[in-house]
Amino acid sequence: MKKIAVLTSGGDAPGMNAAARAVVRTAIYNGIEVYGIYQGYKGMLEGNIKKLEVGDVGNIINRGGTFLGSARLPEFADPEVRKEAIKNLEEIGIEGLVVIGGDGSYKGATKLSQEMNIKTIGIPGTIDNDIYGTDFTIGFDTALNTIIESIDKIRDTASSHDRVFVIEVMGRHAGDLALFAGIAGGAESVMIPEQKDTLEQVMERVNNAEKRGKKHSIIVLAEGVMSGAELSNKLKEQFGLESRYTTLGHVQRGGSPSAMDRVLASRLGNYAVDLLMEGISGKAVGIRDNKLVTTDFEDIFNATEHEIDLNLCEVSKQLGI
Ligand code: ADP
């Protein structure tokens, strides 16, 4: 393997820079030329590709977002469009590709390796923690810390005014961010898609907190269940409960990556290049029980159920949230 490329694709996540940096530095350490493809598959199609040196990834480990940029290009599902993009890779002689993104991005990578002589490895980058085959995705820990900061602030005003607050957090169909944030933020209740709690159960927890003398309540709601506005309305209509809701939104995707995300990204980026050097392809790297692992792209595409940490669900139940 003499030349590889790296791109970031799909939704950005804090720590993607640290992953790309690790790919670049590991490749150069091993005498491999490394190219950055800017704006994901869009940049591949447009030939927005540049050879990277160690200096190009200086001062980025602490920065959120992705210096390579990210873009969505639905047309990449069209083989004719990919043919044009492949020409750009072949012109340079790229033999290996590291794709930092989610399962949509992995699909693009799979198609490329079927249509040209290129080995592909995926690195899971998303705050949602919803990619099969890894306990944690890059960006999750940073987003979680951002949410906790917000919960702590909202708690100050909630307790001053004896209010019930619904805090809607991201995660798409996954409840990980809400579950972890509920536990770490000391919420009175958590609603996640994986547990399907009824509104009665949520109300019971709010009432239990009140019985313990707590006049304010924080309900952490995963966006995959319903919106904060919807839950707030339902609590009013069905139980006469007044609440305020806050949708944290895109602040959750930004910010300087946490130390844990930087280390995770560095390990995964380094591992991805190791695998390419061994001639391995069609797999995503991940972490399981703190060990580096790989999962076939096909297994990721076939996984229909999102895996949530069931032990943690039990912990949250026994803690009364
Ligand atoms: P994520 O990687 O976070 O899941 P998307 O699903 O938006 O994000 O995918 C990112 C990009 O990957 C898309 O904009 C498209 O360029 C490419 N992609 C997604 N699905 C496919 C597919 N089935 N075939 C080829 N390319 C795809």
Side-chain angles (χ1 to χ4, degrees):
M1 182 103 6
K2 292 272 185 292
K3 289 182 184 181
I4 67 167
V6 56
L7 62 81
T8 51
S9 168
D12 65 307
M16 280 184 162
N17 279 327
R21 171 183 179 272
V23 168
V24 170
R25 293 183 82 135
T26 305
I28 292 172
Y29 176 85
N30 287 288
I32 298 170
E33 277 184 25
V34 56
Y35 290 77
I37 301 174
Y38 290 79
Q39 304 294 333
Y41 294 118
K42 184 167 176 281
M44 188 184 284
L45 179 67
E46 292 168 358
N48 195 355
I49 305 171
K50 179 179 163 259
K51 185 164 178 250
L52 297 173
E53 304 297 344
V54 172
D56 292 313
V57 289
N59 288 325
I60 64 165
I61 195 162
N62 53 324
R63 278 173 33 204
T66 158
F67 84 103
L68 288 171
S70 188
R72 291 209 156 91
L73 181 74
E75 298 83 355
F76 206 69
D78 176 350
E80 290 306 312
V81 171
R82 288 197 299 275
K83 229 184 235 174
E84 291 305 306
I86 285 170
K87 272 189 209 158
N88 291 330
L89 298 182
E90 285 176 340
E91 215 165 82
I92 304 170
I94 304 288
E95 300 157 277
L97 174 68
V98 178
V99 170
I100 306 169
D103 47 359
S105 306
Y106 295 171
K107 281 190 184 136
T110 301
K111 296 204 170 134
L112 284 177
S113 49
Q114 287 161 354
E115 293 161 7
M116 72 178 282
N117 187 20
I118 191 169
K119 305 222 181 298
T120 51
I121 295 290
I123 299 182
T126 164
I127 65 164
D128 300 328
N129 212 38
D130 61 348
I131 301 178
Y132 178 80
T134 188
D135 289 344
F136 295 108
T137 56
I138 296 169
F140 174 72
D141 185 64
T142 305
L144 179 59
N145 281 294
T146 303
I147 294 169
I148 295 304
E149 253 178 56
S150 301
I151 291 180
D152 289 348
K153 286 177 181 157
I154 289 169
R155 182 181 294 289
D156 289 345
T157 168
S159 68
S160 304
H161 292 273
D162 294 344
R163 276 192 177 132
V164 175
F165 262 88
V166 171
I167 304 177
E168 180 197 318
V169 303
M170 282 183 166
R172 292 199 293 186
H173 301 294
D176 298 48
L177 276 174
L179 177 65
F180 278 68
I183 291 175
E188 277 58 52
S189 190
V190 166
M191 286 186 85
I192 58 174
E194 295 84 352
Q195 277 188 318
K196 305 202 176 8
D197 284 348
T198 61
L199 290 186
E200 282 74 14
Q201 286 170 303
V202 173
M203 269 312 292
E204 197 184 322
R205 289 181 216 130
V206 170
N207 289 335
N208 285 344
E210 202 179 340
K211 275 185 216 145
R212 292 196 306 270
K214 216 168 188 180
K215 297 261 172 20
H216 69 272
S217 266
I218 303 270
I219 302 169
V220 180
L221 169 71
E223 67 178 352
V225 177
M226 66 179 98
S227 73
E230 210 181 333
L231 178 59
S232 191
N233 280 339
K234 285 188 173 170
L235 291 174
K236 171 92 176 141
E237 278 167 19
Q238 296 184 27
F239 306 96
L241 180 79
E242 285 288 347
S243 63
R244 298 283 191 276
Y245 69 87
T246 299
T247 303
L248 294 185
H250 281 77
V251 291
Q252 296 164 92
R253 288 246 293 259
S256 177
S258 68
M260 288 304 281
D261 269 333
R262 296 182 202 189
V263 173
L264 175 65
S266 300
R267 290 174 76 188
L268 294 180
N270 174 262
Y271 189 38
V273 177
D274 273 355
L275 292 172
L276 284 179
M277 287 192 304
E278 283 174 37
I280 290 167
S281 179
K283 290 175 192 290
V285 294
I287 191 155
R288 283 265 194 224
D289 301 327
N290 203 27
K291 299 237 166 17
L292 294 168
V293 294
T294 60
T295 308
D296 288 346
F297 282 152
E298 284 308 322
D299 290 341
I300 295 174
F301 304 149
N302 292 333
T304 44
E305 289 278 309
H306 167 64
E307 294 177 301
I308 195 150
D309 184 339
L310 293 175
N311 287 327
L312 209 56
C313 289
E314 184 58 28
V315 169
S316 84
K317 206 160 119 196
Q318 294 197 16
L319 296 182
I321 59 172

